[in-house]
Amino acid sequence: MNGPDLRSRPIIEVKDVRKEYPIGDETVVALKRINLSVSRGEICCIFGTSGSGKSTLLNQLAGMEKPTRGEVRIGGVPISRLNEHHLAAFRHQHLGFVFQSYNLLPNLTATENVALPLMFRGVPKAQREAAARKLLTRVGLAHRLDHFPRQMSGGQQQRAGIARAFIARPDVVFADEPTGNLDSKTTVEIMDMICSFARDYHQTIILVTHDPEMAAYASRIVKLIDGEIVSNQVNQKERFPHEA
C-alpha cells in the first residue's frame, strides 16, 4: 500500500455512513447517513447526549468498526475498507487516542507506557524512552517517570495518556470523554494540554463529549441527535488554552 498524503484537506471525509446493529429480531440504526469533512488542524467536537450516536461515530472515524454502508477516509485512505492488518498499521502510523479510563498498561511504568507508540514504529528503546521522559516532563510528570499507574492519581494518569497519544506526532488524535473522570480544575489543565499539543504540531483533534464546557475548546462543534447530525457549526467563542 502506497503511503497516504495526509497533507491534503480535508483530512477526514465521511460519506453517507450508516451503522446498524442487529438485536434479536430487530435492527437498531445507530447512525443515519452521516456526511462530514474535517480539515487538518481542526479541533472538531462530536457533541451529544448519551445514546445520540457520538461513540458509534467515533468508532467509525477511528476504524474500530465498519459501517453498514458508506465510507470513511483519512488522508484519502478508505480506512473503512482496509483489512485488520493494514488498519492496525495505519493506526500506528497516523492516529493517537486519549481515553476516559486512561488505558495505561498496569505493569509498565509511565515512561514505558508513553514510549509504546514509538516501539510500534521500530524506534530503539533508549531513543523512545528518552523521548517519553522529555514529554512526561513537559506534562508535569518529571517526578513520576518510573511510577506505575497504580501509584499515580487520575489526573496524573491522564497526563501520561496525553503524552502517549502525542509522542509519535500522529496526524489525528481521538479524545473520547478525556476528562470524564476528573475534577473541574484538572479538566481545564488536561484540555489546555490537548489543545496546546495540537496547535504546536498542527494536528487534528476529534473530541467526543456530552459536556458543553469541553465542547467550548473546539473550533467546530458537530451535534448529534438520534444518529443524525443536526448542526455543524464553527465555534465563534472557542476557548483557547490558558497561558502558562
Side-chain angles (χ1 to χ4, degrees), residues 49-63:
T49 59
S50 177
S52 62
K54 62 185 186 299
S55 294
T56 304
L57 180 54
L58 173 68
N59 289 341
Q60 303 298 308
L61 298 178

Side-chain angles (χ1 to χ4, degrees), residues 1-3 30 38 46 65 70-71 94 120 124 130 132 140 147 171 173 191:
M1 184 175 66
N2 293 328
V38 180
I46 308 298
E65 296 180 347
E71 184 177 72
H94 301 293
F120 291 128
H147 286 217
D171 297 278
V173 173
M191 289 306 302

Side-chain angles (χ1 to χ4, degrees), residues 159-233:
R159 287 168 183 260
I162 290 169
R164 179 186 57 191
F166 283 93
I167 192 168
R169 304 279 181 92
D171 297 278
V172 182
V173 173
F174 295 95
D176 186 8
E177 299 279 9
T179 63
N181 292 329
L182 305 175
D183 60 56
S184 57
K185 179 178 181 295
T186 308
T187 290
V188 171
E189 294 172 352
I190 293 301
M191 289 306 302
D192 283 355
M193 284 180 195
I194 290 173
C195 295
S196 293
F197 275 119
R199 290 196 172 92
D200 285 352
Y201 305 139
H202 196 51
Q203 292 160 303
T204 303
I205 304 293
I206 303 297
L207 171 66
V208 174
T209 187
H210 67 280
D211 184 350
E213 290 295 317
M214 284 181 60
Y217 283 88
S219 51
R220 190 149 57 93
I221 301 173
V222 177
K223 186 176 181 180
L224 288 185
I225 294 178
D226 294 334
E228 294 184 282
I229 294 176
V230 296
S231 66
N232 182 352
Q233 298 179 331

Side-chain angles (χ1 to χ4, degrees), residues 129-140:
E129 291 195 352
R133 288 191 291 271
K134 182 177 180 180
L135 205 53
L136 282 164
T137 299
R138 175 172 172 176
V139 300

Side-chain angles (χ1 to χ4, degrees), residues 11-224:
I11 192 169
I12 296 177
E13 299 169 276
V14 182
K15 296 183 178 179
D16 296 331
V17 161
R18 180 180 177 89
K19 182 62 180 177
E20 301 174 353
Y21 296 101
I23 299 180
D25 296 330
E26 299 183 355
T27 298
V28 174
V29 180
L31 296 175
K32 309 170 186 175
R33 198 174 181 183
I34 298 292
N35 288 281
L36 179 66
S37 294
V38 180
S39 296
R40 186 175 182 86
E42 271 196 297
I43 299 175
C44 179
C45 175
I46 308 298
F47 181 81
T49 59
S50 177
S52 62
K54 62 185 186 299
S55 294
T56 304
L57 180 54
L58 173 68
N59 289 341
Q60 303 298 308
L61 298 178
M64 300 295 189
E65 296 180 347
K66 303 285 188 185
T68 304
R69 291 202 291 272
E71 184 177 72
V72 177
R73 289 177 174 262
I74 297 181
V77 175
I79 65 165
S80 52
R81 288 195 264 138
L82 296 180
N83 62 35
E84 287 305 314
H85 173 73
H86 286 146
L87 186 56
F90 184 90
R91 283 199 202 99
H92 290 323
Q93 288 295 317
H94 301 293
L95 308 182
F97 297 87
V98 181
F99 303 96
Q100 178 179 348
S101 56
Y102 322 133
N103 282 24
L104 300 178
L105 296 181
N107 296 324
L108 298 183
T109 65
T111 297
E112 291 166 338
N113 266 289
V114 172
L116 269 180
L118 297 181
M119 182 185 74
F120 291 128
R121 293 193 180 191
V123 177
K125 181 178 179 180
Q127 184 179 340
R128 67 180 183 253
E129 291 195 352
R133 288 191 291 271
K134 182 177 180 180
L135 205 53
L136 282 164
T137 299
R138 175 172 172 176
V139 300
L141 293 179
H143 61 305
R144 299 287 187 184
L145 300 178
D146 298 318
H147 286 217
F148 293 96
R150 64 181 178 275
Q151 297 172 305
M152 296 187 287
S153 69
Q156 290 168 341
Q157 289 186 63
Q158 193 59 297
R159 287 168 183 260
I162 290 169
R164 179 186 57 191
F166 283 93
I167 192 168
R169 304 279 181 92
D171 297 278
V172 182
V173 173
F174 295 95
D176 186 8
E177 299 279 9
T179 63
N181 292 329
L182 305 175
D183 60 56
S184 57
K185 179 178 181 295
T186 308
T187 290
V188 171
E189 294 172 352
I190 293 301
M191 289 306 302
D192 283 355
M193 284 180 195
I194 290 173
C195 295
S196 293
F197 275 119
R199 290 196 172 92
D200 285 352
Y201 305 139
H202 196 51
Q203 292 160 303
T204 303
I205 304 293
I206 303 297
L207 171 66
V208 174
T209 187
H210 67 280
D211 184 350
E213 290 295 317
M214 284 181 60
Y217 283 88
S219 51
R220 190 149 57 93
I221 301 173
V222 177
K223 186 176 181 180
L224 288 185

